[in-house]
Amino acid sequence: MIRIRSLTRTTAAFPSQWEGQTDDGQAVLIHYKRSVLSVSYFRYDGVPENHRFRLEEVFSIVLTADDFVDDELYDDGFAEFPTIAAVLKKAGIVDIPEGLEIPDGF
């Protein structure tokens, strides 16, 4: 299970995306676009400051209208974090601490 230590929302709209760190220091990307929710690790080629990396996908699922929570309407390109967190917790792939602050980074 991936244990999240910090997350920042990195886009305001399509796609829905969050970047963060795991409790063991790995960089992680949570991304939702075209109905597909994925979780990937950033694997840096050399020095992270060079912005050269590849993504190593560790989880992917297609969301349906039934996956959206808190009266959020289904959208294939955008989802609020409560929906994303609920799906990832249900799948048992990500542990997100209760009350984690998720700032906007844009």
Side-chain angles (χ1 to χ4, degrees), residues 3-80:
R3 289 180 169 76
I4 300 295
R5 179 177 62 194
S6 66
L7 278 177
T8 301
R9 185 175 177 180
T10 56
T11 60
F14 180 80
S16 300
Q17 184 168 288
W18 298 264
E19 295 178 25
Q21 294 286 318
T22 64
D23 66 351
D24 61 355
Q26 296 188 66
V28 67
L29 171 70
I30 299 173
H31 180 85
Y32 176 71
K33 182 178 178 181
R34 294 190 180 99
S35 300
V36 178
L37 171 61
S38 62
V39 178
S40 303
Y41 287 116
F42 286 102
R43 298 294 185 211
Y44 292 101
D45 299 328
V47 181
E49 291 77 23
N50 292 339
H51 303 287
R52 294 178 53 151
F53 63 88
R54 62 183 169 80
L55 293 175
E56 179 185 307
E57 188 174 272
V58 293
F59 177 78
S60 179
I61 190 171
V62 175
L63 300 190
T64 67
D66 293 336
D67 293 313
F68 283 67
V69 300
D70 296 339
D71 297 323
E72 181 182 357
L73 298 176
Y74 171 77
D75 185 327
D76 71 346
F78 179 78
E80 295 289 349

